[in-house]
Amino acid sequence: MDLREEIKRALGADTAAVLSAPKRKDQAFRIKVRAVQMRGQELFQASIYQGTQVFHQNCDADCMAGLLQQWITEDFGQLQLEGCGYSVHVLSSRKGKLTVKSRRKEKPEGKTAPAAHNRQKQYILPEGTPVDFLVDLKVMTPQGKVTSARYDKYRQINRFLEFIRDVLPDLPSGREITVVDFGCGKSYLTFAVYYYLNRLLGLDVRMIGLDLKADVIRECSRLAEKYGYEKLTFCVGDIASYQGASAVDMVMTLHACDTATDHALEKAVRWGGAGDPVRALLPA
Ligand SMILES: C[S@@+](CC[C@H](N)C(=O)[O-])C[C@H]1O[C@@H](n2cnc3c(N)ncnc32)[C@H](O)[C@@H]1O
């Protein structure tokens, strides 16, 4: 089956596609595709992120399959496409040589196929694809099935990744992105964000988790090494006196206690004042 047909097979009501790793600086840095209903017709909408603007292009499945094939061949280094029970991952070299990995996703056991009016939510970390840290947390089985006892955790992690997805257009393109997680604790979300940005979207991301607790940081460092997350590092320290990075693109500081959030906000503002501003700040 040729690539266009493989792409078309995955285009349906639940489709989510992202083109990332642009090949040139003067072009869109990301394109996302999803299904939309327009005047009773099922179409596909491409949101094209260029500079600070977003353009939209709508067309039917055949046309969108052609566009996606053209974009991944000529303009982008990576395409991640999920839909209709298929997962298609394409890498494209600068010269347009394509490496395609396509597979049929397993249906979650004991669940019937969702009716069109009652579709299952499409999570960013899809059920059926085992993710190493979620398996260690017993959120997933080694086969990728979400365990019922930890379904809430699975939903919470995916919900947080949706916030990250929303700020993606604000992040710089064409260079390494630096993310700091202040008060990372056991780092469930730190691992999730790194996995999403680096492994799923293919972004060049360097991430630092900082916390006061040496034993927790030791364990997080061990896990990052175990998963082969080369650019995810952890260090022990106090947010107020942290000097480990001079320019940062995104700051997370979630459920940090006492005055920790205040210190994190102050750092983010200071980094902004030093030159390239912090593009995203996620306190909670
Ligand atoms: C409630 S936990 C949240 C962990 C993680 N961010 C999450 O949302 O799952 C708060 C963490 O912030 C850390 N923390 C509090 N004040 C800090 C400070 N001034 N510098 C570094 N870490 C701090 C604590 O050690 C603790 O691990």
Side-chain angles (χ1 to χ4, degrees):
M1 186 184 291
D2 72 9
L3 178 60
R4 185 177 174 143
E5 283 306 308
E6 282 195 57
I7 291 172
K8 199 169 162 189
R9 189 172 62 172
L11 292 180
D14 62 348
T15 291
V18 182
L19 285 147
S20 57
K23 292 187 179 177
R24 294 178 308 281
K25 285 202 165 150
D26 61 344
Q27 62 164 80
F29 61 87
R30 183 162 297 106
I31 298 179
K32 293 186 197 174
V33 174
R34 66 186 181 98
V36 287
Q37 289 282 337
M38 282 186 179
R39 290 184 284 278
Q41 217 192 337
E42 184 174 81
L43 295 177
F44 294 88
Q45 180 172 77
S47 300
I48 301 166
Y49 296 89
Q50 184 145 18
T52 55
Q53 292 179 295
V54 186
F55 305 95
H56 295 291
Q57 187 166 346
N58 303 319
C59 64
D60 65 17
D62 193 49
C63 158
M64 188 53 75
L67 282 174
L68 284 168
Q69 183 186 27
Q70 180 191 335
W71 283 328
I72 187 58
T73 307
E74 295 172 11
D75 302 320
F76 289 88
Q78 170 156 281
L79 166 66
Q80 180 69 44
L81 167 65
E82 313 270 344
C84 303
Y86 289 95
S87 170
V88 183
H89 183 236
V90 187
L91 293 174
S92 173
S93 73
R94 293 229 166 254
K95 290 183 179 162
K97 182 175 175 306
L98 302 179
T99 308
V100 182
K101 282 190 191 149
S102 168
R103 64 182 179 80
R104 177 129 183 80
K105 295 202 271 184
E106 278 173 35
K107 250 189 233 162
E109 273 172 37
K111 290 188 181 161
T112 50
H117 61 280
N118 185 25
R119 281 201 309 276
Q120 278 183 339
K121 183 168 166 52
Q122 289 297 306
Y123 289 108
I124 290 179
L125 305 178
E127 181 156 16
T129 305
V131 180
D132 36 24
F133 71 92
L134 292 181
V135 174
D136 278 353
L137 282 173
K138 307 230 176 324
V139 170
M140 275 184 173
T141 66
Q143 292 72 37
K145 181 171 162 40
V146 178
T147 56
S148 48
R150 312 225 69 189
Y151 214 92
D152 281 351
K153 189 88 195 159
Y154 172 70
R155 257 204 304 260
Q156 184 201 22
I157 290 171
N158 276 285
R159 182 73 191 109
F160 182 67
L161 292 182
E162 287 172 6
F163 289 120
I164 300 289
R165 183 173 61 191
D166 288 346
V167 299
L168 287 178
D170 297 319
L171 294 178
S173 59
R175 67 160 171 84
E176 183 187 71
I177 297 165
T178 301
V179 182
V180 172
D181 186 357
F182 279 141
C184 56
K186 290 186 180 162
S187 299
Y188 304 141
L189 296 170
T190 329
F191 284 112
V193 171
Y194 186 85
Y195 177 85
Y196 175 46
L197 295 179
N198 179 260
R199 295 295 202 263
L200 286 188
L201 299 182
L203 299 178
D204 182 10
V205 59
R206 178 170 77 102
M207 197 159 176
I208 302 144
L210 182 87
D211 204 285
L212 290 169
K213 297 176 189 153
D215 53 339
V216 174
I217 288 298
R218 219 175 4 257
E219 177 60 7
C220 292
S221 302
R222 186 187 72 77
L223 290 175
E225 200 178 328
K226 173 179 163 189
Y227 304 144
Y229 293 173
E230 298 101 0
K231 287 194 171 187
L232 172 58
T233 53
F234 292 92
C235 51
V236 181
D238 187 337
I239 300 166
S241 54
Y242 179 66
Q243 301 279 350
S246 53
V248 172
D249 301 298
M250 179 158 82
V251 175
M252 295 163 41
T253 179
L254 303 166
H255 316 116
C257 18
D258 198 15
T259 53
T261 305
D262 300 337
H263 291 305
L265 294 175
E266 191 214 350
K267 284 273 170 214
V269 171
R270 283 191 194 282
W271 275 320
D276 210 8
V278 171
R279 314 283 180 104
L281 180 56
L282 293 119

